[in-house]
Amino acid sequence: MKKKQQRNQNQSKNQDKESSSLKLGDMINQDIMSQLRQKQKELNEAEQEKRAAEEEEKREERKRREKNKSFEELLGESNLNWKNYK
């Protein structure tokens, strides 16, 4: 009885090793893999375009704020020490 249990345990261990050695790529056919890769590329490109659009929007917002600043705000942001020039 003990030998049968040991054989069953050994067989189950071997099956676990075989199933764990299989990779997802081995189980999925090549057509599906190529579709997944293409979709990943598209998603990456869309994300990059989104980032670029956000950066452009931020730049435009900074330009608008800079354009609408008053003289007092511009003077306050200046790095020069105006007291030295009096």
Side-chain angles (χ1 to χ4, degrees), residues 10-49:
N10 287 340
Q11 288 176 352
S12 66
K13 286 181 184 178
N14 288 339
Q15 289 174 352
D16 290 341
K17 286 181 184 178
E18 289 174 6
S19 65
S20 66
S21 66
L22 289 176
K23 296 180 183 177
L24 182 62
D26 296 337
M27 291 190 261
I28 298 177
N29 67 26
Q30 294 300 321
D31 186 37
I32 294 173
M33 284 295 288
S34 64
Q35 288 176 354
L36 289 172
R37 287 188 181 123
Q38 181 65 28
K39 187 67 173 176
Q40 184 181 18
K41 267 186 189 178
E42 291 172 5
L43 291 173
N44 286 342
E45 290 173 359
E47 188 174 334
Q48 287 177 353
E49 289 175 4

Side-chain angles (χ1 to χ4, degrees), residues 1-2 4 9 17-18 20-21 27-29 36 46 49 52 56 64 69 78 80-81 83:
M1 190 72 166
K2 220 176 194 183
K4 285 185 181 180
Q9 288 176 350
K17 286 181 184 178
E18 289 174 6
S20 66
S21 66
M27 291 190 261
I28 298 177
N29 67 26
L36 289 172
E49 289 175 4
E56 183 65 28
R64 274 188 245 123
K69 284 186 180 178
S78 175
L80 296 175
N81 188 358
K83 293 180 183 178

